[in-house]
Amino acid sequence: MAISLGSIADDYTGASDLANTLTKNGLRTVQTVGIPDPSLALPDIDAVVVSLKIRSVPASEAVNAATEAERWLRQQGAGHVLYKICSTFDSTDAGNIGPVTEALSEAAGGGGVLVTPAFPETGRTVYLGHLFVGGQPLNESPLKDHPLNPMHDANLVRVLARQSRGAVGLIDLAAIAAGAAAAKAKLDALARTGATMAIADAIFERDLETLGEIALETPVSTGASGLGLGLARALVRSGRISGSATGEDVIRPVGGLSAIIAGSCSKATLRQIDVAERVMPVLRLDPERLLAAGPDQIAAAISWAGDRISAGPVVVAASAAPETVSRLQSQYGREASGHAIETATSIIAAELVERGVRRLVVAGGETSGAAVDRLAIPAFLIGPEIAPGVPVLRTVGNTQGDMLLALKSGNFGGEDFFAAALAMMR
Ligand SMILES: Nc1ncnc2c1ncn2[C@@H]1O[C@H](COP(=O)(O)OP(=O)(O)OP(=O)(O)O)[C@@H](O)[C@H]1O
Ligand SMILES: O=C(O)[C@@H](O)C(=O)CO
């Protein structure tokens, strides 16, 4: 198997978002969880997305994991590697977007790297280097209250420069509108002046198509699913890929019980939980008690779900509004509280799978990463899309047998997302 495109995703929901975009644009894609064991049989594919959980870990750890994944992807034949980051540029001044991008570029021989989180389908656009989420600049959007990485600056040239060793340039919309050759000339000129990376503007899909064409001429790029779309379309246009992926056969029924686990505290997820409560039982975990008396709370949640789950899907949610999250974080620390809650939700997910759940929806990137790791699922095939950025996933090589999952990024999905997801997972 020689793949055309490799990708390293910094979290698991982001990985399935990208794999979804690649599949929709014609690439036969598999999402692996970390670097797969050599014994895992992968089908004939055009692209692999390696899911890592490196968005909020120390930069050196992220760099090591990503460079190892890059080496593996190159061995599989990848000519280009996309580092998949969040469309909200979820990061801090310590990283990890800058350090990982620079390390991947160095490993591939250097040169300027194109960076853009634009993903117009979900309302993420970049203009003059400033990221907009829907109609709001990043620093005025709900991401200013993100539990792990609150975003307080919309100027991505500035944000990326703060977390990088090299200088960061800008490829503005005017250069992109002038066509691939002009934009590539700008990238090369920036690299000659010492910029290791350039933030690229993009508002419409046609901008991403131009950027995809340029990125394919370089060994590494960094971006969200929008850049994935550009790369996939450029590969299909180049004739290197037939562009025939569909994903429909992936959703063959698996039966079993179904459940939803939520750890995302995004505005979208909070609304989705409220709406789900009209049609299914919802257990709202008490994170304060969870942190103070972990095992008892976890056991109580499993027993609550166990009593109801044979009658239909249930939701178990740690999610809370920003004020509650900040109170808990100031008492227990941001990382410690996040980690303890992720551990709890992942144990609950695994116990529910033990009790027969085969269709599982998880809300939140970190939350999904913790759950999938505990379930030890090695890889996924990508099925049809439930909402922009969220496909149905079918496990590959899972010891509990085939399962269908949906790993929802915090901000994605309409208000009836949970019921809509389960309606596609039989
Ligand atoms: N009530 C709570 N108080 C404090 N932290 C919480 C609470 N509930 C969940 N968390 C933590 O908040 C973090 C949410 O991050 P997660 O990545 O899962 O969601 P998200 O950031 O909305 O999603 P994404 O990264 O896909 O955009 C996790 O670490 C989770 O454990
Ligand atoms: O790019 C996005 O917004 C998502 O795929 C994601 O990574 C959120 O965690």
Side-chain angles (χ1 to χ4, degrees), residues 11 13-14 55 86 90 146-148 262-266 269 287 318-320 324-325 328-329 337-342 345 363-368 408-411:
D11 83 347
T13 49
R55 190 173 289 175
C86 186
D90 194 348
H146 189 278
L148 301 175
S264 159
C265 300
S266 74
T269 304
S319 321
T324 317
V325 172
L328 200 77
Q329 288 180 337
S337 51
H339 184 70
I341 295 169
E342 284 160 35
T345 47
E366 299 293 326
T367 310
S368 296
K408 188 194 82 77
S409 291
N411 298 294

PDB file of all heavy atoms in Angstrom, residues 11 13-14 55 86 90 146-148 262-266 269 287 318-320 324-325 328-329 337-342 345 363-368 408-411, ligand 1:
ATOM      1  N   ASP A  11      -5.726  15.962  17.612  1.00  0.00           N
ATOM      2  CA  ASP A  11      -6.675  15.289  18.506  1.00  0.00           C
ATOM      3  C   ASP A  11      -7.583  14.377  17.684  1.00  0.00           C
ATOM      4  O   ASP A  11      -7.546  14.396  16.453  1.00  0.00           O
ATOM      5  CB  ASP A  11      -7.432  16.264  19.418  1.00  0.00           C
ATOM      6  CG  ASP A  11      -8.643  16.912  18.768  1.00  0.00           C
ATOM      7  OD1 ASP A  11      -8.790  16.816  17.535  1.00  0.00           O
ATOM      8  OD2 ASP A  11      -9.439  17.515  19.502  1.00  0.00           O
ATOM      9  N   THR A  13     -11.029  13.955  17.511  1.00  0.00           N
ATOM     10  CA  THR A  13     -12.211  14.453  16.787  1.00  0.00           C
ATOM     11  C   THR A  13     -11.745  15.222  15.545  1.00  0.00           C
ATOM     12  O   THR A  13     -12.376  15.153  14.493  1.00  0.00           O
ATOM     13  CB  THR A  13     -13.064  15.387  17.671  1.00  0.00           C
ATOM     14  OG1 THR A  13     -12.215  16.352  18.283  1.00  0.00           O
ATOM     15  CG2 THR A  13     -13.813  14.627  18.720  1.00  0.00           C
ATOM     16  N   GLY A  14     -10.622  15.935  15.709  1.00  0.00           N
ATOM     17  CA  GLY A  14     -10.064  16.651  14.567  1.00  0.00           C
ATOM     18  C   GLY A  14      -9.663  15.678  13.481  1.00  0.00           C
ATOM     19  O   GLY A  14      -9.810  15.940  12.281  1.00  0.00           O
ATOM     20  N   ARG A  55      -2.578  18.093  21.445  1.00  0.00           N
ATOM     21  CA  ARG A  55      -2.924  19.517  21.363  1.00  0.00           C
ATOM     22  C   ARG A  55      -2.544  20.268  22.640  1.00  0.00           C
ATOM     23  O   ARG A  55      -2.111  21.404  22.586  1.00  0.00           O
ATOM     24  CB  ARG A  55      -4.430  19.655  21.097  1.00  0.00           C
ATOM     25  CG  ARG A  55      -4.842  21.048  20.773  1.00  0.00           C
ATOM     26  CD  ARG A  55      -6.281  21.132  20.366  1.00  0.00           C
ATOM     27  NE  ARG A  55      -6.523  20.545  19.058  1.00  0.00           N
ATOM     28  CZ  ARG A  55      -7.722  20.406  18.512  1.00  0.00           C
ATOM     29  NH1 ARG A  55      -8.800  20.789  19.182  1.00  0.00           N
ATOM     30  NH2 ARG A  55      -7.866  19.884  17.313  1.00  0.00           N
ATOM     31  N   CYS A  86      -6.713  22.470  15.021  1.00  0.00           N
ATOM     32  CA  CYS A  86      -8.116  22.867  15.167  1.00  0.00           C
ATOM     33  C   CYS A  86      -8.409  24.115  14.329  1.00  0.00           C
ATOM     34  O   CYS A  86      -7.570  25.015  14.230  1.00  0.00           O
ATOM     35  CB  CYS A  86      -8.397  23.165  16.636  1.00  0.00           C
ATOM     36  SG  CYS A  86     -10.138  23.480  16.946  1.00  0.00           S
ATOM     37  N   ASP A  90      -6.687  26.326  18.335  1.00  0.00           N
ATOM     38  CA  ASP A  90      -6.602  25.938  19.748  1.00  0.00           C
ATOM     39  C   ASP A  90      -5.135  25.664  20.135  1.00  0.00           C
ATOM     40  O   ASP A  90      -4.549  24.650  19.744  1.00  0.00           O
ATOM     41  CB  ASP A  90      -7.456  24.660  19.860  1.00  0.00           C
ATOM     42  CG  ASP A  90      -7.781  24.289  21.267  1.00  0.00           C
ATOM     43  OD1 ASP A  90      -7.182  24.854  22.186  1.00  0.00           O
ATOM     44  OD2 ASP A  90      -8.649  23.404  21.436  1.00  0.00           O
ATOM     45  N   HIS A 146     -12.577  28.863  26.384  1.00  0.00           N
ATOM     46  CA  HIS A 146     -12.254  27.428  26.262  1.00  0.00           C
ATOM     47  C   HIS A 146     -11.627  26.924  27.557  1.00  0.00           C
ATOM     48  O   HIS A 146     -10.755  27.589  28.126  1.00  0.00           O
ATOM     49  CB  HIS A 146     -11.280  27.208  25.089  1.00  0.00           C
ATOM     50  CG  HIS A 146     -11.083  25.778  24.767  1.00  0.00           C
ATOM     51  ND1 HIS A 146     -10.196  24.997  25.471  1.00  0.00           N
ATOM     52  CD2 HIS A 146     -11.667  24.968  23.861  1.00  0.00           C
ATOM     53  CE1 HIS A 146     -10.250  23.758  24.986  1.00  0.00           C
ATOM     54  NE2 HIS A 146     -11.131  23.721  24.003  1.00  0.00           N
ATOM     55  N   PRO A 147     -12.069  25.732  28.053  1.00  0.00           N
ATOM     56  CA  PRO A 147     -11.579  25.261  29.355  1.00  0.00           C
ATOM     57  C   PRO A 147     -10.064  25.016  29.397  1.00  0.00           C
ATOM     58  O   PRO A 147      -9.460  25.183  30.452  1.00  0.00           O
ATOM     59  CB  PRO A 147     -12.329  23.941  29.599  1.00  0.00           C
ATOM     60  CG  PRO A 147     -13.293  23.766  28.496  1.00  0.00           C
ATOM     61  CD  PRO A 147     -13.082  24.842  27.478  1.00  0.00           C
ATOM     62  N   LEU A 148      -9.442  24.589  28.280  1.00  0.00           N
ATOM     63  CA  LEU A 148      -8.009  24.293  28.334  1.00  0.00           C
ATOM     64  C   LEU A 148      -7.166  25.420  27.739  1.00  0.00           C
ATOM     65  O   LEU A 148      -6.175  25.828  28.329  1.00  0.00           O
ATOM     66  CB  LEU A 148      -7.701  22.974  27.616  1.00  0.00           C
ATOM     67  CG  LEU A 148      -8.416  21.725  28.173  1.00  0.00           C
ATOM     68  CD1 LEU A 148      -8.117  20.518  27.307  1.00  0.00           C
ATOM     69  CD2 LEU A 148      -7.997  21.455  29.617  1.00  0.00           C
ATOM     70  N   ALA A 262     -20.447  13.030  27.050  1.00  0.00           N
ATOM     71  CA  ALA A 262     -20.049  14.407  26.713  1.00  0.00           C
ATOM     72  C   ALA A 262     -19.110  14.978  27.761  1.00  0.00           C
ATOM     73  O   ALA A 262     -19.390  14.926  28.955  1.00  0.00           O
ATOM     74  CB  ALA A 262     -21.285  15.301  26.583  1.00  0.00           C
ATOM     75  N   GLY A 263     -17.974  15.530  27.272  1.00  0.00           N
ATOM     76  CA  GLY A 263     -17.031  16.200  28.173  1.00  0.00           C
ATOM     77  C   GLY A 263     -16.711  17.586  27.654  1.00  0.00           C
ATOM     78  O   GLY A 263     -16.008  18.349  28.294  1.00  0.00           O
ATOM     79  N   SER A 264     -17.232  17.886  26.463  1.00  0.00           N
ATOM     80  CA  SER A 264     -17.021  19.218  25.904  1.00  0.00           C
ATOM     81  C   SER A 264     -17.901  20.218  26.647  1.00  0.00           C
ATOM     82  O   SER A 264     -19.055  19.920  26.973  1.00  0.00           O
ATOM     83  CB  SER A 264     -17.409  19.193  24.422  1.00  0.00           C
ATOM     84  OG  SER A 264     -17.686  20.502  23.991  1.00  0.00           O
ATOM     85  N   CYS A 265     -17.344  21.406  26.914  1.00  0.00           N
ATOM     86  CA  CYS A 265     -18.130  22.450  27.589  1.00  0.00           C
ATOM     87  C   CYS A 265     -18.432  23.578  26.613  1.00  0.00           C
ATOM     88  O   CYS A 265     -18.696  24.704  27.018  1.00  0.00           O
ATOM     89  CB  CYS A 265     -17.357  22.987  28.788  1.00  0.00           C
ATOM     90  SG  CYS A 265     -16.997  21.700  29.989  1.00  0.00           S
ATOM     91  N   SER A 266     -18.353  23.288  25.314  1.00  0.00           N
ATOM     92  CA  SER A 266     -18.605  24.336  24.323  1.00  0.00           C
ATOM     93  C   SER A 266     -20.095  24.691  24.333  1.00  0.00           C
ATOM     94  O   SER A 266     -20.945  23.902  24.749  1.00  0.00           O
ATOM     95  CB  SER A 266     -18.204  23.844  22.929  1.00  0.00           C
ATOM     96  OG  SER A 266     -19.161  22.912  22.482  1.00  0.00           O
ATOM     97  N   THR A 269     -22.160  22.131  22.445  1.00  0.00           N
ATOM     98  CA  THR A 269     -22.425  20.867  23.149  1.00  0.00           C
ATOM     99  C   THR A 269     -23.440  21.076  24.279  1.00  0.00           C
ATOM    100  O   THR A 269     -24.339  20.245  24.480  1.00  0.00           O
ATOM    101  CB  THR A 269     -21.113  20.266  23.707  1.00  0.00           C
ATOM    102  OG1 THR A 269     -20.193  20.103  22.638  1.00  0.00           O
ATOM    103  CG2 THR A 269     -21.349  18.927  24.381  1.00  0.00           C
ATOM    104  N   PRO A 287     -19.085  17.507  38.587  1.00  0.00           N
ATOM    105  CA  PRO A 287     -17.618  17.449  38.501  1.00  0.00           C
ATOM    106  C   PRO A 287     -16.941  17.727  39.834  1.00  0.00           C
ATOM    107  O   PRO A 287     -15.881  17.186  40.108  1.00  0.00           O
ATOM    108  CB  PRO A 287     -17.269  18.530  37.488  1.00  0.00           C
ATOM    109  CG  PRO A 287     -18.508  18.753  36.726  1.00  0.00           C
ATOM    110  CD  PRO A 287     -19.646  18.489  37.660  1.00  0.00           C
ATOM    111  N   ALA A 318     -20.356  15.484  31.598  1.00  0.00           N
ATOM    112  CA  ALA A 318     -19.622  16.234  32.626  1.00  0.00           C
ATOM    113  C   ALA A 318     -19.736  17.719  32.336  1.00  0.00           C
ATOM    114  O   ALA A 318     -19.467  18.553  33.199  1.00  0.00           O
ATOM    115  CB  ALA A 318     -18.153  15.839  32.611  1.00  0.00           C
ATOM    116  N   SER A 319     -20.127  18.031  31.108  1.00  0.00           N
ATOM    117  CA  SER A 319     -20.132  19.396  30.582  1.00  0.00           C
ATOM    118  C   SER A 319     -20.827  20.387  31.513  1.00  0.00           C
ATOM    119  O   SER A 319     -21.850  20.074  32.112  1.00  0.00           O
ATOM    120  CB  SER A 319     -20.867  19.404  29.233  1.00  0.00           C
ATOM    121  OG  SER A 319     -20.542  18.240  28.504  1.00  0.00           O
ATOM    122  N   ALA A 320     -20.234  21.597  31.596  1.00  0.00           N
ATOM    123  CA  ALA A 320     -20.844  22.645  32.417  1.00  0.00           C
ATOM    124  C   ALA A 320     -20.562  23.995  31.779  1.00  0.00           C
ATOM    125  O   ALA A 320     -19.693  24.121  30.910  1.00  0.00           O
ATOM    126  CB  ALA A 320     -20.277  22.599  33.828  1.00  0.00           C
ATOM    127  N   THR A 324     -19.037  27.706  35.897  1.00  0.00           N
ATOM    128  CA  THR A 324     -18.821  26.514  36.733  1.00  0.00           C
ATOM    129  C   THR A 324     -17.438  25.932  36.450  1.00  0.00           C
ATOM    130  O   THR A 324     -16.730  25.511  37.359  1.00  0.00           O
ATOM    131  CB  THR A 324     -19.904  25.449  36.414  1.00  0.00           C
ATOM    132  OG1 THR A 324     -21.142  26.119  36.319  1.00  0.00           O
ATOM    133  CG2 THR A 324     -19.972  24.362  37.427  1.00  0.00           C
ATOM    134  N   VAL A 325     -17.079  25.898  35.164  1.00  0.00           N
ATOM    135  CA  VAL A 325     -15.776  25.352  34.776  1.00  0.00           C
ATOM    136  C   VAL A 325     -14.665  26.178  35.435  1.00  0.00           C
ATOM    137  O   VAL A 325     -13.752  25.633  36.053  1.00  0.00           O
ATOM    138  CB  VAL A 325     -15.615  25.354  33.234  1.00  0.00           C
ATOM    139  CG1 VAL A 325     -14.205  24.977  32.824  1.00  0.00           C
ATOM    140  CG2 VAL A 325     -16.623  24.408  32.597  1.00  0.00           C
ATOM    141  N   LEU A 328     -14.300  25.467  39.182  1.00  0.00           N
ATOM    142  CA  LEU A 328     -13.648  24.172  39.437  1.00  0.00           C
ATOM    143  C   LEU A 328     -12.143  24.258  39.147  1.00  0.00           C
ATOM    144  O   LEU A 328     -11.316  23.745  39.908  1.00  0.00           O
ATOM    145  CB  LEU A 328     -14.285  23.128  38.527  1.00  0.00           C
ATOM    146  CG  LEU A 328     -14.103  21.689  38.943  1.00  0.00           C
ATOM    147  CD1 LEU A 328     -15.053  21.367  40.084  1.00  0.00           C
ATOM    148  CD2 LEU A 328     -14.358  20.749  37.780  1.00  0.00           C
ATOM    149  N   GLN A 329     -11.826  24.954  38.054  1.00  0.00           N
ATOM    150  CA  GLN A 329     -10.404  25.046  37.664  1.00  0.00           C
ATOM    151  C   GLN A 329      -9.608  25.853  38.672  1.00  0.00           C
ATOM    152  O   GLN A 329      -8.462  25.534  38.959  1.00  0.00           O
ATOM    153  CB  GLN A 329     -10.283  25.687  36.286  1.00  0.00           C
ATOM    154  CG  GLN A 329     -10.753  24.761  35.185  1.00  0.00           C
ATOM    155  CD  GLN A 329     -10.639  25.375  33.808  1.00  0.00           C
ATOM    156  OE1 GLN A 329     -10.611  26.598  33.673  1.00  0.00           O
ATOM    157  NE2 GLN A 329     -10.603  24.544  32.790  1.00  0.00           N
ATOM    158  N   SER A 337      -8.075  19.188  36.717  1.00  0.00           N
ATOM    159  CA  SER A 337      -9.516  18.939  36.664  1.00  0.00           C
ATOM    160  C   SER A 337      -9.891  18.333  35.309  1.00  0.00           C
ATOM    161  O   SER A 337     -10.655  17.365  35.240  1.00  0.00           O
ATOM    162  CB  SER A 337     -10.322  20.197  36.970  1.00  0.00           C
ATOM    163  OG  SER A 337      -9.884  21.266  36.188  1.00  0.00           O
ATOM    164  N   GLY A 338      -9.306  18.893  34.223  1.00  0.00           N
ATOM    165  CA  GLY A 338      -9.622  18.351  32.895  1.00  0.00           C
ATOM    166  C   GLY A 338      -9.255  16.875  32.816  1.00  0.00           C
ATOM    167  O   GLY A 338     -10.042  16.043  32.367  1.00  0.00           O
ATOM    168  N   HIS A 339      -8.069  16.547  33.306  1.00  0.00           N
ATOM    169  CA  HIS A 339      -7.587  15.176  33.202  1.00  0.00           C
ATOM    170  C   HIS A 339      -8.456  14.225  34.037  1.00  0.00           C
ATOM    171  O   HIS A 339      -8.824  13.137  33.580  1.00  0.00           O
ATOM    172  CB  HIS A 339      -6.121  15.119  33.640  1.00  0.00           C
ATOM    173  CG  HIS A 339      -5.528  13.770  33.466  1.00  0.00           C
ATOM    174  ND1 HIS A 339      -5.275  13.244  32.224  1.00  0.00           N
ATOM    175  CD2 HIS A 339      -5.187  12.822  34.367  1.00  0.00           C
ATOM    176  CE1 HIS A 339      -4.797  12.023  32.377  1.00  0.00           C
ATOM    177  NE2 HIS A 339      -4.729  11.751  33.671  1.00  0.00           N
ATOM    178  N   ALA A 340      -8.811  14.659  35.246  1.00  0.00           N
ATOM    179  CA  ALA A 340      -9.614  13.787  36.118  1.00  0.00           C
ATOM    180  C   ALA A 340     -10.990  13.524  35.487  1.00  0.00           C
ATOM    181  O   ALA A 340     -11.508  12.398  35.522  1.00  0.00           O
ATOM    182  CB  ALA A 340      -9.772  14.431  37.497  1.00  0.00           C
ATOM    183  N   ILE A 341     -11.547  14.561  34.878  1.00  0.00           N
ATOM    184  CA  ILE A 341     -12.876  14.384  34.267  1.00  0.00           C
ATOM    185  C   ILE A 341     -12.781  13.492  33.023  1.00  0.00           C
ATOM    186  O   ILE A 341     -13.617  12.616  32.805  1.00  0.00           O
ATOM    187  CB  ILE A 341     -13.521  15.759  33.974  1.00  0.00           C
ATOM    188  CG1 ILE A 341     -13.776  16.476  35.301  1.00  0.00           C
ATOM    189  CG2 ILE A 341     -14.805  15.613  33.183  1.00  0.00           C
ATOM    190  CD1 ILE A 341     -14.162  17.930  35.181  1.00  0.00           C
ATOM    191  N   GLU A 342     -11.721  13.693  32.235  1.00  0.00           N
ATOM    192  CA  GLU A 342     -11.531  12.818  31.056  1.00  0.00           C
ATOM    193  C   GLU A 342     -11.380  11.356  31.484  1.00  0.00           C
ATOM    194  O   GLU A 342     -11.909  10.451  30.837  1.00  0.00           O
ATOM    195  CB  GLU A 342     -10.255  13.206  30.301  1.00  0.00           C
ATOM    196  CG  GLU A 342     -10.389  14.457  29.468  1.00  0.00           C
ATOM    197  CD  GLU A 342      -9.021  15.066  29.156  1.00  0.00           C
ATOM    198  OE1 GLU A 342      -8.052  14.300  28.976  1.00  0.00           O
ATOM    199  OE2 GLU A 342      -8.920  16.304  29.126  1.00  0.00           O
ATOM    200  N   THR A 345     -14.895  10.100  32.436  1.00  0.00           N
ATOM    201  CA  THR A 345     -15.806   9.849  31.308  1.00  0.00           C
ATOM    202  C   THR A 345     -15.312   8.660  30.474  1.00  0.00           C
ATOM    203  O   THR A 345     -16.115   7.885  29.948  1.00  0.00           O
ATOM    204  CB  THR A 345     -15.974  11.108  30.422  1.00  0.00           C
ATOM    205  OG1 THR A 345     -14.681  11.670  30.150  1.00  0.00           O
ATOM    206  CG2 THR A 345     -16.839  12.149  31.106  1.00  0.00           C
ATOM    207  N   ALA A 363     -18.605  13.544  22.782  1.00  0.00           N
ATOM    208  CA  ALA A 363     -18.486  14.974  22.465  1.00  0.00           C
ATOM    209  C   ALA A 363     -17.273  15.568  23.155  1.00  0.00           C
ATOM    210  O   ALA A 363     -17.146  15.481  24.375  1.00  0.00           O
ATOM    211  CB  ALA A 363     -19.753  15.713  22.895  1.00  0.00           C
ATOM    212  N   GLY A 364     -16.387  16.177  22.347  1.00  0.00           N
ATOM    213  CA  GLY A 364     -15.177  16.819  22.877  1.00  0.00           C
ATOM    214  C   GLY A 364     -13.935  16.082  22.416  1.00  0.00           C
ATOM    215  O   GLY A 364     -13.879  14.850  22.464  1.00  0.00           O
ATOM    216  N   GLY A 365     -12.939  16.846  21.974  1.00  0.00           N
ATOM    217  CA  GLY A 365     -11.707  16.250  21.439  1.00  0.00           C
ATOM    218  C   GLY A 365     -10.924  15.491  22.491  1.00  0.00           C
ATOM    219  O   GLY A 365     -10.565  14.324  22.302  1.00  0.00           O
ATOM    220  N   GLU A 366     -10.635  16.152  23.606  1.00  0.00           N
ATOM    221  CA  GLU A 366      -9.858  15.486  24.661  1.00  0.00           C
ATOM    222  C   GLU A 366     -10.672  14.322  25.231  1.00  0.00           C
ATOM    223  O   GLU A 366     -10.136  13.253  25.516  1.00  0.00           O
ATOM    224  CB  GLU A 366      -9.523  16.475  25.788  1.00  0.00           C
ATOM    225  CG  GLU A 366      -8.679  17.659  25.362  1.00  0.00           C
ATOM    226  CD  GLU A 366      -7.267  17.279  24.937  1.00  0.00           C
ATOM    227  OE1 GLU A 366      -6.704  16.335  25.515  1.00  0.00           O
ATOM    228  OE2 GLU A 366      -6.736  17.909  24.010  1.00  0.00           O
ATOM    229  N   THR A 367     -11.940  14.553  25.387  1.00  0.00           N
ATOM    230  CA  THR A 367     -12.830  13.531  25.935  1.00  0.00           C
ATOM    231  C   THR A 367     -12.849  12.306  25.016  1.00  0.00           C
ATOM    232  O   THR A 367     -12.776  11.156  25.478  1.00  0.00           O
ATOM    233  CB  THR A 367     -14.254  14.129  26.086  1.00  0.00           C
ATOM    234  OG1 THR A 367     -14.136  15.373  26.776  1.00  0.00           O
ATOM    235  CG2 THR A 367     -15.186  13.193  26.822  1.00  0.00           C
ATOM    236  N   SER A 368     -12.927  12.546  23.714  1.00  0.00           N
ATOM    237  CA  SER A 368     -12.939  11.442  22.745  1.00  0.00           C
ATOM    238  C   SER A 368     -11.615  10.688  22.776  1.00  0.00           C
ATOM    239  O   SER A 368     -11.581   9.453  22.713  1.00  0.00           O
ATOM    240  CB  SER A 368     -13.134  11.958  21.321  1.00  0.00           C
ATOM    241  OG  SER A 368     -14.376  12.561  21.185  1.00  0.00           O
ATOM    242  N   LYS A 408     -17.368  13.836  18.183  1.00  0.00           N
ATOM    243  CA  LYS A 408     -17.802  15.193  17.807  1.00  0.00           C
ATOM    244  C   LYS A 408     -16.902  16.266  18.407  1.00  0.00           C
ATOM    245  O   LYS A 408     -16.753  16.337  19.623  1.00  0.00           O
ATOM    246  CB  LYS A 408     -19.246  15.427  18.299  1.00  0.00           C
ATOM    247  CG  LYS A 408     -19.860  16.715  17.792  1.00  0.00           C
ATOM    248  CD  LYS A 408     -21.106  17.093  18.542  1.00  0.00           C
ATOM    249  CE  LYS A 408     -20.815  17.792  19.840  1.00  0.00           C
ATOM    250  NZ  LYS A 408     -20.415  19.212  19.689  1.00  0.00           N
ATOM    251  N   SER A 409     -16.334  17.090  17.574  1.00  0.00           N
ATOM    252  CA  SER A 409     -15.599  18.248  18.075  1.00  0.00           C
ATOM    253  C   SER A 409     -16.573  19.115  18.848  1.00  0.00           C
ATOM    254  O   SER A 409     -17.746  19.239  18.463  1.00  0.00           O
ATOM    255  CB  SER A 409     -15.037  19.065  16.917  1.00  0.00           C
ATOM    256  OG  SER A 409     -14.030  18.334  16.293  1.00  0.00           O
ATOM    257  N   GLY A 410     -16.062  19.734  19.899  1.00  0.00           N
ATOM    258  CA  GLY A 410     -16.928  20.511  20.795  1.00  0.00           C
ATOM    259  C   GLY A 410     -17.893  21.430  20.082  1.00  0.00           C
ATOM    260  O   GLY A 410     -19.096  21.445  20.372  1.00  0.00           O
ATOM    261  N   ASN A 411     -17.386  22.177  19.119  1.00  0.00           N
ATOM    262  CA  ASN A 411     -18.206  23.241  18.520  1.00  0.00           C
ATOM    263  C   ASN A 411     -19.053  22.783  17.344  1.00  0.00           C
ATOM    264  O   ASN A 411     -19.734  23.591  16.735  1.00  0.00           O
ATOM    265  CB  ASN A 411     -17.279  24.363  18.038  1.00  0.00           C
ATOM    266  CG  ASN A 411     -16.524  24.964  19.190  1.00  0.00           C
ATOM    267  OD1 ASN A 411     -17.117  25.583  20.059  1.00  0.00           O
ATOM    268  ND2 ASN A 411     -15.218  24.744  19.234  1.00  0.00           N
TER     269      ASN A 411
HETATM  270  N1  LIG B   1     -17.630  20.591  34.389  1.00  0.00           N
HETATM  271  C1  LIG B   1     -16.355  20.691  34.003  1.00  0.00           C
HETATM  272  N2  LIG B   1     -15.493  21.503  34.646  1.00  0.00           N
HETATM  273  C2  LIG B   1     -14.202  21.615  34.225  1.00  0.00           C
HETATM  274  N3  LIG B   1     -13.698  20.948  33.182  1.00  0.00           N
HETATM  275  C3  LIG B   1     -14.518  20.121  32.520  1.00  0.00           C
HETATM  276  C4  LIG B   1     -15.880  19.950  32.893  1.00  0.00           C
HETATM  277  N4  LIG B   1     -16.441  19.059  32.067  1.00  0.00           N
HETATM  278  C5  LIG B   1     -15.481  18.682  31.209  1.00  0.00           C
HETATM  279  N5  LIG B   1     -14.329  19.319  31.475  1.00  0.00           N
HETATM  280  C6  LIG B   1     -13.040  19.197  30.773  1.00  0.00           C
HETATM  281  O1  LIG B   1     -13.025  20.174  29.732  1.00  0.00           O
HETATM  282  C7  LIG B   1     -12.219  19.698  28.656  1.00  0.00           C
HETATM  283  C8  LIG B   1     -13.047  19.788  27.395  1.00  0.00           C
HETATM  284  O2  LIG B   1     -12.203  19.518  26.315  1.00  0.00           O
HETATM  285  P1  LIG B   1     -12.661  18.678  25.073  1.00  0.00           P
HETATM  286  O3  LIG B   1     -11.525  18.733  24.111  1.00  0.00           O
HETATM  287  O4  LIG B   1     -13.172  17.338  25.440  1.00  0.00           O
HETATM  288  O5  LIG B   1     -13.896  19.495  24.525  1.00  0.00           O
HETATM  289  P2  LIG B   1     -13.849  20.735  23.516  1.00  0.00           P
HETATM  290  O6  LIG B   1     -12.602  21.516  23.754  1.00  0.00           O
HETATM  291  O7  LIG B   1     -15.145  21.426  23.586  1.00  0.00           O
HETATM  292  O8  LIG B   1     -13.773  19.977  22.156  1.00  0.00           O
HETATM  293  P3  LIG B   1     -12.801  20.200  20.914  1.00  0.00           P
HETATM  294  O9  LIG B   1     -11.393  20.124  21.413  1.00  0.00           O
HETATM  295  O10 LIG B   1     -13.173  19.060  20.050  1.00  0.00           O
HETATM  296  O11 LIG B   1     -13.165  21.529  20.363  1.00  0.00           O
HETATM  297  C9  LIG B   1     -11.840  18.245  29.001  1.00  0.00           C
HETATM  298  O12 LIG B   1     -10.551  18.224  29.535  1.00  0.00           O
HETATM  299  C10 LIG B   1     -12.886  17.879  30.062  1.00  0.00           C
HETATM  300  O13 LIG B   1     -12.454  16.862  30.914  1.00  0.00           O
END
